[in-house]
Amino acid sequence: MKKNIFILFVLITLFNCKSDKQDNGKLNIVTTTSMITDLVKNIGGEYINIEGLMGSGVDPHLYKASEGDVTKLVNADIIFYNGLHLEGKLVEVFEKMGSQTKTPIALAEELDKSTLIGSDYFASNYDPHVWFNIEYFKEFANKVTSILSEKDPINAVNYIENEKKYLAKLDTLQGKIKAIIETLPVEKRILVTAHDAFNYFGKNYGFEVVGLQGLSTATEAGVQDVQKLAAFIIDKKVKAIFVESSVPKRTIEALEAAVKSKGHEVSIGGTLYSDALGNAGTIEGTYIGMFEYNVNTIVNALK
Ligand SMILES: [Zn+2]
């Protein structure tokens, strides 16, 4: 608690000292999750400076701002984050900044909320994992392009051109994914993962989705949750379950052990990238690569 107050104090002090000038004539952008960082890099290209706070394997639900992060946030010309309480521990910092001259942009909160998946148990009342709907991610791209163009009109033509190219790649991705998923029989489309990150994915591609932990990783699964899900897996003859790169493996391993202790077989089908991309330079290190990698992993393991 004390630390939070300190961070807010630093924030306010730095805000008051900060001039509006951009370094080297380029906008300084700060982003939170690696999915958003990748998106903004695609649109902004060489025309922006960008700093992503959360690298590969980082869980946004639990991520707390360091003092270094606060300085980066304060020095940013624009901040893009997911919102809908995904970055649960950053909310206080962002709310404080929202009352200052620069408002951080919560991309998921710009979406038409009546189309989102609701939740009575999650702080925002909506499932925040919206990037697993490619159409929503295209809306993120639209918003980023319009904000960059507005703040840096000289380069607007470049941002618009980059967006056009990126949207075309997202359309190609959508086509590829649908084709891969069509090879998996409908009755085998059951996706069991560490936490509830794949509801939008499930809705779009016809999967029944079950997460061992809820929408946030902040609450751990109990013994009862594990037993209940083990019974479900046995009943539905689910072949494989999946770990996530940003959630400790032990919960899914406990589930695997619970199924096996009842004399049934289930395998761990691989690691999915849910709330963070893979390492930079790998296929899973981009949003497009991550999506294709996940779908291949899921389909191969469940077939
Ligand atoms: Zn999550």
Side-chain angles (χ1 to χ4, degrees), residues 59-61 86 122 127-129 131-132 195-198 214-217 244 246-247 274-276:
D59 181 348
H61 299 286
L86 177 77
F122 192 64
D127 182 333
H129 304 87
W131 58 93
F132 281 120
H195 89 298
D196 261 334
F198 292 93
L215 283 176
S216 172
T217 53
E244 295 171 41
S246 52
V247 184
S274 52
D275 292 7

Side-chain angles (χ1 to χ4, degrees), residues 187-208:
E187 68 276 10
K188 292 191 172 180
R189 294 183 195 174
I190 300 176
L191 180 59
V192 178
T193 60
H195 89 298
D196 261 334
F198 292 93
N199 291 324
Y200 291 97
F201 176 88
K203 191 177 168 190
N204 274 357
Y205 305 108
F207 279 77
E208 184 174 354

Side-chain angles (χ1 to χ4, degrees), residues 28-299:
N28 287 317
I29 319 276
V30 173
T31 48
T32 56
T33 67
S34 42
M35 290 71 76
I36 294 175
T37 307
D38 182 47
L39 170 72
V40 177
K41 275 185 185 168
N42 272 283
I43 310 283
E46 68 204 87
Y47 308 102
I48 57 165
N49 300 318
I50 181 163
E51 188 102 49
L53 297 184
M54 302 174 194
S56 65
V58 174
D59 181 348
H61 299 286
L62 304 179
Y63 187 87
K64 286 183 188 149
S66 66
E67 285 156 32
D69 289 343
V70 173
T71 309
K72 284 175 194 164
L73 290 165
V74 168
N75 288 324
D77 297 303
I78 311 168
I79 298 157
F80 291 114
Y81 71 112
N82 189 85
L84 296 179
H85 222 274
L86 177 77
E87 303 94 337
K89 315 265 180 200
L90 293 184
V91 169
E92 196 183 347
V93 177
F94 286 139
E95 275 175 359
K96 196 74 201 170
M97 297 187 83
S99 66
Q100 308 285 339
T101 48
K102 284 176 290 184
T103 307
I105 313 287
L107 292 167
E109 287 174 25
E110 303 282 329
L111 300 170
D112 176 358
K113 291 217 172 93
S114 70
T115 68
L116 299 181
I117 297 172
S119 168
D120 293 339
Y121 305 103
F122 192 64
S124 66
N125 296 321
Y126 297 100
D127 182 333
H129 304 87
V130 295
W131 58 93
F132 281 120
N133 178 331
I134 294 173
E135 294 308 311
Y136 288 153
F137 207 64
K138 284 162 79 175
E139 289 189 45
F140 277 23
N142 276 163
K143 184 69 187 178
V144 167
T145 305
S146 79
I147 299 277
L148 292 183
S149 302
E150 184 192 309
K151 300 271 183 188
D152 180 22
I154 293 169
N155 285 313
V157 62
N158 299 313
Y159 300 136
I160 291 163
E161 186 56 32
N162 285 347
E163 187 203 9
K164 216 173 115 189
K165 285 185 201 154
Y166 193 60
L167 292 182
K169 286 183 189 170
L170 291 177
D171 285 337
T172 306
L173 172 71
Q174 185 72 283
K176 263 191 189 174
I177 284 167
K178 284 183 177 162
I180 298 168
I181 290 172
E182 268 170 27
T183 67
L184 184 67
V186 174
E187 68 276 10
K188 292 191 172 180
R189 294 183 195 174
I190 300 176
L191 180 59
V192 178
T193 60
H195 89 298
D196 261 334
F198 292 93
N199 291 324
Y200 291 97
F201 176 88
K203 191 177 168 190
N204 274 357
Y205 305 108
F207 279 77
E208 184 174 354
V209 173
V210 192
L212 182 53
Q213 288 166 269
L215 283 176
S216 172
T217 53
T219 34
E220 294 232 355
V223 177
Q224 270 194 328
D225 300 317
V226 172
Q227 290 305 329
K228 218 173 119 190
L229 192 45
F232 172 87
I233 289 165
I234 292 164
D235 181 45
K236 301 268 184 170
K237 299 185 178 67
V238 177
K239 252 180 86 181
I241 56 181
F242 300 88
V243 295
E244 295 171 41
S245 70
S246 52
V247 184
K249 274 209 279 214
R250 62 175 187 276
T251 53
I252 284 296
E253 285 170 346
L255 182 59
E256 182 194 26
V259 173
K260 287 186 172 170
S261 75
K262 293 190 167 71
H264 293 264
E265 261 315 303
V266 71
S267 66
I268 293 185
T271 299
L272 302 181
Y273 295 89
S274 52
D275 292 7
L277 300 178
N279 290 325
T282 65
I283 290 171
E284 316 86 78
T286 67
Y287 172 83
I288 288 175
M290 168 281 285
F291 218 120
E292 216 182 318
Y293 179 92
N294 278 351
V295 169
N296 278 320
T297 304
I298 293 166
V299 170

